[in-house]
Amino acid sequence: MHCYKIILMTIAVLALAACGADTAMKKGDKFFALGEYYDAATCYKKAYSQTKAKEKPLRGQRALKMADCYRRINFTQKAIAAYNNAVRYKQADTTALFHLAQLQLKNGSYKDAEKTFLLLIDSLEVSGEGRVVRDYLQGRNNSLPSHLSPLTSLTITGLQSARMAPQWKAEADYSGYTVKKQEIFNSRRAEYSPALAGDDSDQLYFSSTRNQAKGDEVSGITGMKNADIFFSQKDDKGKWSKPEPIESELNSEFDEGACTFSADFKTMYLTVCKTDPSYPRYAQIATAPRSDASWGKATVLDISRDTLSTFAHPAPSPDGRWLYFVSDMPGGLGGYDIWRAELTGNSIVSVENVGAPINTPGDEMFPTFRPNGDLYFSSNGHPGFGGLDIYYVETAPPSAPEGATIDDAPHGKANEAPSGAVGGAVVHPGWPLNSAGDDFGMTFEGLHNRGYFSSNRGDARGWDHIYSFEKSEVIQTVKGWVYEQDGYELPQGLVYMVGNDGTNKKISVRGDGSFEEEIKPNVSYVFLGTCKGFLNHKEELRVEPVLESEEYVLQFPLASITAPVLIDNIFYDFDKATLRPESAEALDKLIALLNENPNVTIELSSHTDNRGSDQYNERLSQRRAESVVNYLIEHGIAADRLSPVGYGEKKPKVIKKKLTETYDWLKADDVLTPEFIEALDDEEKQEICHQLNRRTEFIVLRTTYGMFDAEGKVKELPAKPQKEEPQQQEDLW
């Protein structure tokens, strides 16, 4: 009787275990359908552990589902163990073998990966493709069919990776990269997709699932909190601050990730993923505006009416014309592809797949642009070390029309180079930028090949962290500032850049009026600084080869069309109108300005202080203005473009804000009248005011000189002569 009870109890326990396993599987399937792979894996693991050892097919099926979840949440070693169990129980199909081989690559187990890929090729014999691949690998044919299945294509790529990765890793010294983990940004959770911002790359944004992220719930997808965007600031000594979450409506209890910025830093593009308890989550791309120093609430960007596809990882092209992104929408080449959408304001005009060679039957993700135009992205469909590796494609260089010069570009009529186009071979930067883990999310510090990226290398939990990278290379750059003469920066400025190698660019300056561009050796460049309401300013630069990186600095002080412009450093003999020799430098700059702006006429004015009689001061200032005009005429400026006027003491100087930085006891818009000067209780300050009143200025009268004929009609521009022979370099300018 006692034995009978034990048997009954055993049967009951087994029945309960079977019931519990079935319930766990049903719950797991429900979580899986919603994309909550962490919760699904927990249920599948419970069901697997409660399945009897003798039920081998059932254990294999449950191991396979568990493996698929672990793979999706980057639990690589657990996924490998589960797939191996599915293989052991003979429940692994070709897709499972492929995923196992990819995970072995990602784990750095290249010998195991090679064996699994070869096993997979054997299993493809049924379709006939396995035999074709075998013959190719054994040298019995020299090429493969042009239309292989995606699985076969990726298997060949994976086998190549497994065989070549150890050799590529041994050649790491040739890559030139230095990689370091950045503990200041990292936590005990995940950090990914860093993005540098600010005119000096002194701000770093990234996504993190650390405890400070909003919300209290743990994600059923990852087993961590939903990601928020965090921020760190670099101080004057180059030290980064402790990361803090963005204090705005941007972060929510949902996922915010993979952010990037428009060139003017006024718009953030990011990936958002909201929670719906009864519907699968699909990532979407959103934008957020910046007002002063804070970011507004994210608004979804309407790219497509497709509600069943993922849209993620936005990356605007350097000129802002295109938005590159990732999607699995129909029409691609594989799983996730890189697409691009043409932008008009905040609207999408058209969407297109960037195609091969960038996209493959695998996954291409996390596009980003180096400021020189090169497109970087991550992929598991190209040969690499395993997981997602970083690759790049050089942007096709813009070409100017034959014989183009800077004269083709000024006054807002530049030849704008085609933007967003990428061409050429896909390049793998090698080890240690890439590793066996996932490597992705590049961001660059200016034009230099250095910055930050994210990787889960060496993390047993598969969590991503932020690393710095730098590649030693010789790079020549030009940095320039566009600003108002005697004033502040002009963030609305444009710079036209023309080189005799075909370069023809229109560059928008940053918020501080600056720009930075890469330049090439053995090239002569012309730069034209422009801004509405100001005269143009031209600079020329000849770039010679160098052995070390070098930065050239150019200044573009623009003269106002509507306000008087000071001509600094004009000197006369005492009590005379004779120009002293040291005035030549300033006057030669004025001559260059007038030559760069040939349709401008100016009033050249001279001013004195209020000491001396009115008549004497007017006569002296008139003669001095005429001396300047005579100098300009002697150096080739047409007399009818110049009007000399001596104002004497009639127009005391009006103080601009910029000057108050030098003389903090003056305020903007102060007028240096005799009464103002006499009210000062310091003789030194009074003398400074007299010096400021003694000045030579010009103001623009017209901007249409020489543009009309005698009947008032616009003159036709002379046709450019046809070139019978290629121009010599010096003729381009």
Side-chain angles (χ1 to χ4, degrees), residues 177-218:
Y177 282 95
T178 301
V179 169
K180 295 180 180 178
K181 193 173 183 180
Q182 296 297 306
E183 300 299 344
I184 182 64
F185 305 127
N186 295 320
S187 69
R188 295 183 178 180
R189 294 295 184 267
E191 291 79 31
Y192 59 93
S193 292
L196 284 165
D199 295 331
D200 296 316
S201 298
D202 57 356
Q203 301 168 35
L204 188 76
Y205 292 78
F206 60 90
S207 296
S208 178
T209 61
R210 63 187 64 194
N211 291 334
Q212 294 96 318
K214 285 187 175 181
D216 298 323
E217 293 186 5
V218 172

Coordinates of all heavy atoms in Angstrom, one line a residue, residues 177-218:
Y177 N 44.7 51.8 -35.1 CA 43.7 52.2 -34.2 C 44.2 51.9 -32.7 O 44.8 50.9 -32.4 CB 42.4 51.5 -34.4 CG 41.6 52.1 -35.5 CD1 41.7 51.5 -36.8 CD2 40.8 53.2 -35.4 CE1 40.9 52.0 -37.9 CE2 40.0 53.7 -36.4 CZ 40.1 53.1 -37.7 OH 39.4 53.6 -38.7
T178 N 43.8 52.9 -31.8 CA 44.0 52.7 -30.4 C 42.6 52.8 -29.8 O 41.8 53.7 -30.1 CB 44.9 53.8 -29.8 OG1 46.2 53.7 -30.4 CG2 45.0 53.5 -28.3
V179 N 42.2 51.8 -29.0 CA 40.8 51.7 -28.4 C 41.0 51.6 -26.9 O 41.8 50.8 -26.4 CB 40.1 50.5 -29.0 CG1 38.8 50.3 -28.2 CG2 39.8 50.7 -30.5
K180 N 40.2 52.4 -26.2 CA 40.2 52.4 -24.7 C 38.7 52.4 -24.2 O 37.9 53.2 -24.7 CB 41.0 53.5 -24.1 CG 42.4 53.5 -24.5 CD 43.2 54.7 -23.9 CE 44.6 54.7 -24.2 NZ 45.3 55.9 -23.7
K181 N 38.5 51.6 -23.2 CA 37.2 51.7 -22.5 C 37.1 52.9 -21.7 O 38.0 53.3 -20.9 CB 37.0 50.4 -21.7 CG 35.5 50.2 -21.2 CD 35.4 48.9 -20.5 CE 33.9 48.6 -20.0 NZ 33.8 47.3 -19.3
Q182 N 36.0 53.6 -21.7 CA 35.8 54.9 -21.1 C 34.9 54.8 -19.8 O 33.7 54.9 -19.9 CB 35.3 56.0 -22.0 CG 36.2 56.3 -23.2 CD 37.5 56.9 -22.7 OE1 37.5 57.9 -22.0 NE2 38.6 56.3 -23.1
E183 N 35.6 54.5 -18.7 CA 34.8 54.3 -17.5 C 33.9 55.4 -17.0 O 32.9 55.3 -16.4 CB 35.7 53.8 -16.4 CG 36.5 52.6 -16.6 CD 35.7 51.4 -16.9 OE1 34.5 51.4 -16.5 OE2 36.2 50.4 -17.4
I184 N 34.3 56.7 -17.4 CA 33.6 57.8 -16.9 C 32.1 57.8 -17.5 O 31.2 58.3 -16.8 CB 34.3 59.1 -17.4 CG1 33.5 60.4 -16.9 CG2 34.4 59.2 -18.9 CD1 33.5 60.5 -15.4
F185 N 31.9 57.2 -18.6 CA 30.6 57.1 -19.2 C 29.9 55.9 -18.9 O 28.6 55.8 -19.1 CB 30.7 57.2 -20.8 CG 31.5 58.4 -21.3 CD1 32.5 58.3 -22.2 CD2 31.1 59.7 -20.8 CE1 33.2 59.4 -22.6 CE2 31.8 60.8 -21.3 CZ 32.9 60.7 -22.2
N186 N 30.6 54.8 -18.4 CA 29.9 53.5 -18.3 C 29.4 53.2 -16.9 O 29.9 53.8 -15.9 CB 31.0 52.4 -18.7 CG 31.3 52.5 -20.2 OD1 30.5 52.8 -21.0 ND2 32.6 52.4 -20.5
S187 N 28.4 52.4 -16.8 CA 27.8 52.0 -15.6 C 27.8 50.5 -15.5 O 28.4 49.8 -16.2 CB 26.4 52.6 -15.5 OG 25.6 51.9 -16.4
R188 N 27.0 50.0 -14.5 CA 26.8 48.5 -14.4 C 25.7 48.0 -15.3 O 25.3 46.8 -15.3 CB 26.4 48.1 -13.0 CG 27.6 48.4 -12.0 CD 27.2 48.0 -10.6 NE 28.3 48.3 -9.7 CZ 28.3 48.0 -8.4 NH1 27.2 47.4 -7.8 NH2 29.3 48.2 -7.6
R189 N 25.1 48.9 -16.1 CA 24.1 48.5 -17.1 C 24.7 48.8 -18.5 O 25.9 48.7 -18.7 CB 22.8 49.2 -16.9 CG 22.2 48.8 -15.6 CD 21.7 47.4 -15.6 NE 21.0 47.0 -14.3 CZ 21.5 46.5 -13.3 NH1 22.8 46.3 -13.2 NH2 20.8 46.2 -12.2
A190 N 23.8 49.1 -19.5 CA 24.3 49.2 -20.9 C 24.3 50.7 -21.3 O 23.5 51.5 -20.9 CB 23.4 48.5 -21.8
E191 N 25.4 51.1 -22.1 CA 25.5 52.4 -22.7 C 25.8 52.2 -24.2 O 26.6 51.3 -24.5 CB 26.6 53.2 -22.1 CG 26.4 53.6 -20.6 CD 26.6 52.5 -19.6 OE1 27.4 51.7 -19.9 OE2 25.9 52.5 -18.6
Y192 N 25.2 52.9 -25.0 CA 25.4 52.7 -26.5 C 25.1 54.0 -27.3 O 24.5 54.9 -26.8 CB 24.6 51.5 -27.0 CG 23.1 51.7 -26.8 CD1 22.3 52.2 -27.8 CD2 22.4 51.3 -25.6 CE1 20.9 52.4 -27.7 CE2 21.1 51.5 -25.5 CZ 20.3 52.0 -26.5 OH 19.0 52.1 -26.3
S193 N 25.6 54.0 -28.5 CA 25.4 55.0 -29.5 C 25.7 56.4 -29.0 O 24.9 57.3 -28.9 CB 23.9 55.0 -30.0 OG 23.6 53.9 -30.7
P194 N 27.0 56.6 -28.7 CA 27.4 58.0 -28.3 C 27.4 58.9 -29.5 O 27.5 58.5 -30.6 CB 28.9 57.8 -27.8 CG 29.4 56.6 -28.6 CD 28.2 55.7 -28.7
A195 N 27.1 60.2 -29.2 CA 27.0 61.2 -30.2 C 27.7 62.5 -29.7 O 27.2 63.1 -28.7 CB 25.6 61.5 -30.6
L196 N 28.8 62.9 -30.3 CA 29.4 64.2 -29.9 C 28.7 65.4 -30.5 O 28.1 65.3 -31.6 CB 30.9 64.2 -30.4 CG 31.9 63.4 -29.7 CD1 33.1 63.2 -30.4 CD2 32.2 64.0 -28.3
A197 N 28.7 66.5 -29.8 CA 28.0 67.7 -30.2 C 28.7 68.9 -29.7 O 29.7 68.8 -28.9 CB 26.5 67.7 -29.7
G198 N 28.3 70.1 -30.1 CA 29.0 71.3 -29.7 C 30.0 71.7 -30.7 O 30.6 70.8 -31.4
D199 N 30.3 73.0 -30.8 CA 31.3 73.5 -31.8 C 32.7 72.9 -31.6 O 33.4 72.8 -32.5 CB 31.3 75.0 -31.7 CG 30.0 75.6 -32.2 OD1 29.3 75.0 -33.0 OD2 29.7 76.7 -31.7
D200 N 33.0 72.6 -30.3 CA 34.3 72.0 -30.0 C 34.2 70.5 -29.6 O 35.1 70.0 -29.0 CB 35.0 72.8 -28.9 CG 35.2 74.3 -29.3 OD1 35.7 74.5 -30.4 OD2 35.0 75.2 -28.5
S201 N 33.1 69.9 -30.0 CA 32.9 68.5 -29.7 C 33.1 68.2 -28.2 O 33.7 67.3 -27.7 CB 33.9 67.5 -30.4 OG 33.7 67.6 -31.8
D202 N 32.5 69.2 -27.4 CA 32.7 69.1 -25.9 C 31.4 68.6 -25.2 O 31.3 68.8 -24.0 CB 33.1 70.5 -25.4 CG 32.1 71.6 -25.7 OD1 31.1 71.3 -26.5 OD2 32.3 72.7 -25.3
Q203 N 30.5 68.1 -25.9 CA 29.3 67.5 -25.3 C 29.1 66.1 -25.9 O 29.3 65.8 -27.1 CB 28.1 68.3 -25.7 CG 28.2 69.8 -25.2 CD 27.0 70.6 -25.8 OE1 25.9 70.1 -26.0 NE2 27.3 71.9 -26.1
L204 N 28.8 65.1 -25.0 CA 28.6 63.8 -25.5 C 27.2 63.3 -25.0 O 26.9 63.3 -23.8 CB 29.7 62.8 -24.9 CG 29.6 61.4 -25.5 CD1 30.1 61.4 -26.9 CD2 30.4 60.4 -24.7
Y205 N 26.4 62.9 -25.9 CA 25.1 62.3 -25.6 C 25.1 60.8 -25.9 O 25.8 60.3 -26.8 CB 24.0 62.9 -26.5 CG 23.7 64.4 -26.2 CD1 24.6 65.4 -26.7 CD2 22.6 64.7 -25.5 CE1 24.3 66.7 -26.4 CE2 22.3 66.1 -25.3 CZ 23.1 67.0 -25.7 OH 22.9 68.4 -25.5
F206 N 24.5 60.0 -25.1 CA 24.4 58.6 -25.4 C 23.2 58.0 -24.7 O 22.6 58.6 -23.8 CB 25.7 57.8 -24.9 CG 26.0 58.0 -23.4 CD1 25.5 57.1 -22.5 CD2 26.7 59.0 -23.0 CE1 25.7 57.2 -21.1 CE2 27.0 59.2 -21.6 CZ 26.5 58.3 -20.7
S207 N 22.8 56.8 -25.0 CA 21.7 56.1 -24.4 C 22.2 55.1 -23.3 O 23.2 54.5 -23.5 CB 20.8 55.4 -25.4 OG 20.3 56.3 -26.4
S208 N 21.4 55.0 -22.3 CA 21.8 54.1 -21.2 C 20.6 53.5 -20.5 O 19.6 54.2 -20.3 CB 22.7 54.8 -20.2 OG 23.1 54.0 -19.1
T209 N 20.7 52.3 -20.0 CA 19.7 51.7 -19.2 C 20.0 51.7 -17.7 O 19.5 50.9 -16.9 CB 19.5 50.2 -19.6 OG1 20.8 49.5 -19.4 CG2 19.1 50.1 -21.1
R210 N 20.9 52.6 -17.3 CA 21.4 52.6 -15.9 C 20.2 53.0 -15.0 O 19.1 53.4 -15.4 CB 22.5 53.6 -15.7 CG 22.1 55.1 -16.1 CD 23.4 56.0 -16.1 NE 24.3 55.6 -17.1 CZ 25.6 56.0 -17.1 NH1 26.0 56.8 -16.2 NH2 26.4 55.6 -18.1
N211 N 20.4 52.9 -13.7 CA 19.3 53.1 -12.7 C 18.7 54.5 -12.8 O 17.5 54.6 -12.4 CB 19.8 52.8 -11.3 CG 20.2 51.3 -11.1 OD1 19.6 50.5 -11.8 ND2 21.1 51.1 -10.2
Q212 N 19.4 55.5 -13.2 CA 18.9 56.8 -13.2 C 17.9 57.0 -14.3 O 17.2 58.1 -14.4 CB 20.0 57.9 -13.4 CG 20.9 57.9 -12.2 CD 22.2 57.1 -12.4 OE1 22.1 56.0 -12.9 NE2 23.3 57.6 -12.0
A213 N 17.7 56.1 -15.2 CA 16.7 56.2 -16.3 C 15.3 56.2 -15.7 O 15.1 55.6 -14.7 CB 16.9 55.0 -17.3
K214 N 14.4 56.9 -16.4 CA 13.1 57.1 -15.9 C 12.3 55.8 -15.9 O 12.7 54.8 -16.6 CB 12.3 58.1 -16.8 CG 12.7 59.5 -16.6 CD 11.8 60.4 -17.4 CE 12.1 61.9 -17.1 NZ 11.2 62.8 -17.8
G215 N 11.3 55.7 -15.1 CA 10.5 54.5 -15.0 C 11.0 53.5 -14.0 O 12.2 53.5 -13.7
D216 N 10.1 52.7 -13.5 CA 10.5 51.7 -12.5 C 10.5 50.3 -13.0 O 11.0 49.4 -12.4 CB 9.5 51.8 -11.3 CG 9.6 53.2 -10.6 OD1 10.7 53.7 -10.5 OD2 8.6 53.7 -10.2
E217 N 9.8 50.1 -14.2 CA 9.7 48.7 -14.7 C 10.9 48.3 -15.4 O 11.6 49.0 -16.0 CB 8.5 48.7 -15.6 CG 7.1 48.9 -14.9 CD 6.0 48.8 -15.9 OE1 6.2 48.3 -17.1 OE2 4.8 49.0 -15.5
V218 N 11.1 47.0 -15.3 CA 12.2 46.3 -16.1 C 11.6 45.9 -17.4 O 10.5 45.3 -17.5 CB 12.8 45.1 -15.3 CG1 13.7 44.3 -16.2 CG2 13.4 45.6 -14.0

